[in-house]
Amino acid sequence: AQKVTQAQTEISVVEKEDVTLDCVYETRDTTYYLFWYKQPPSGELVFLIRRNSFDEQNEISGRYSWNFQKSTSSFNFTITASQVVDSAVYFCALRTYSGGGADGLTFGKGTHLIIQP
Amino acid sequence: DGGITQSPKYLFRKEGQNVTLSCEQNLNHDAMYWYRQDPGQGLRLIYYSQIVNDFQKGDIAEGYSVSREKKESFPLTVTSAQKNPTAFYLCASRAGGFTEAFFGQGTRLTVV
């Protein structure tokens, strides 16, 4: 069985601060993919990034960066110089080759990020 | 524009009624999914379909039914057997393999 843990239920920071959202996953599979999604107040989940288990390079996209470490089973997401528009719920998700018996993504419970002006 | 359309955005159901949530995609994706989201919870998989005329139960299928008669459409019926249907429902689709899923804007269902 697979599991995704986002221990931070809610984070509140002041605009322009850097913030890191933690994601820890569990799987016995050696082939898997990790994802981050953003859910703004409108409700739609917006895809941010996909990372496969064989690629441990960190990725940077503008103010967003992701740190994937297989040794600690973590796939953390950092927002640099946060902005009010970053306020949303962020979900980490896992998909394995075996699917764990059911297709689809295994989601964490999400981290509610609040950026205060 | 390609995407996933869910309707209605808000839906109210009386006790004992069945209601159907619509999900249409024009992305030519083979796989489609229904998730349920409750406050403070992650997304839980209700049903999924990897091909037309075939679908599989997810983790919380009880009280729900689906059909997949067309590639573009994957409607979800919330039956009266679902004892706690008030939730936010999200439909998703993806091309296959390990590609990312794309989501609709969701339907908020409330039992009145």
Side-chain angles (χ1 to χ4, degrees):
Chain A
Q2 51 249 22
K3 184 180 179 181
V4 176
T5 300
Q6 294 180 254
Q8 303 150 309
T9 303
E10 183 174 291
I11 300 175
S12 181
V13 300
V14 177
E15 197 172 21
K16 297 184 182 178
E17 288 185 10
D18 298 348
V19 58
T20 295
L21 309 181
D22 297 334
C23 173
V24 174
Y25 61 93
E26 296 176 26
T27 179
R28 294 181 179 178
D29 289 1
T30 57
T31 302
Y32 53 88
Y33 275 74
L34 294 160
F35 303 80
W36 274 97
Y37 284 86
K38 174 182 180 180
Q39 186 179 38
S42 61
E44 178 180 357
L45 265 72
V46 178
F47 165 74
L48 296 177
I49 190 170
R50 175 184 62 184
R51 174 67 67 209
N52 75 58
S53 53
F54 300 107
D55 182 3
E56 289 193 70
Q57 284 190 340
N58 291 331
E59 177 138 350
I60 298 175
S61 177
R63 296 184 296 107
Y64 295 171
S65 62
W66 290 269
N67 182 8
F68 176 32
Q69 292 192 339
K70 287 180 73 172
S71 61
T72 56
S73 297
S74 65
F75 186 43
N76 296 336
F77 173 31
T78 297
I79 300 175
T80 302
S82 61
Q83 299 176 3
V84 173
V85 293
D86 296 326
S87 297
V89 180
Y90 290 86
F91 289 97
C92 181
L94 166 72
R95 175 168 168 77
T96 65
Y97 183 78
S98 66
D103 197 10
L105 298 170
T106 298
F107 284 87
K109 292 190 175 182
T111 296
H112 184 198
L113 177 63
I114 301 169
I115 310 297
Q116 299 179 12
Chain B
D1 289 334
I4 302 174
T5 302
Q6 288 187 242
S7 63
K9 190 170 182 179
Y10 299 97
L11 186 58
F12 297 90
R13 189 193 93 168
K14 293 183 179 179
E15 295 272 359
Q17 280 185 338
N18 293 354
V19 289
T20 297
L21 284 59
S22 171
C23 178
E24 303 277 334
Q25 56 100 358
N26 60 4
L27 300 168
N28 199 34
H29 286 170
D30 288 316
M32 296 188 73
Y33 307 84
W34 276 103
Y35 290 91
R36 169 177 172 146
Q37 184 179 19
D38 294 285
Q41 301 294 315
L43 279 70
R44 293 182 291 170
L45 182 64
I46 305 173
Y47 267 99
Y48 65 97
S49 168
Q50 293 180 311
I51 196 170
V52 174
N53 292 322
D54 185 57
F55 48 84
Q56 305 296 328
K57 293 182 179 179
D59 301 319
I60 56 166
E62 185 175 351
Y64 300 98
S65 65
V66 293
S67 63
R68 187 85 187 276
E69 297 177 0
K70 299 186 300 182
K71 188 175 185 178
E72 305 80 18
S73 179
F74 192 41
L76 173 73
T77 296
V78 184
T79 75
S80 57
Q82 171 50 239
K83 298 306 179 187
N84 185 23
T86 295
F88 188 56
Y89 292 86
L90 283 158
C91 178
S93 72
R94 65 185 186 90
F98 284 95
T99 56
E100 61 272 17
F102 292 89
F103 286 80
Q105 292 192 322
T107 293
R108 191 167 298 280
L109 174 63
T110 304
V111 174
V112 296

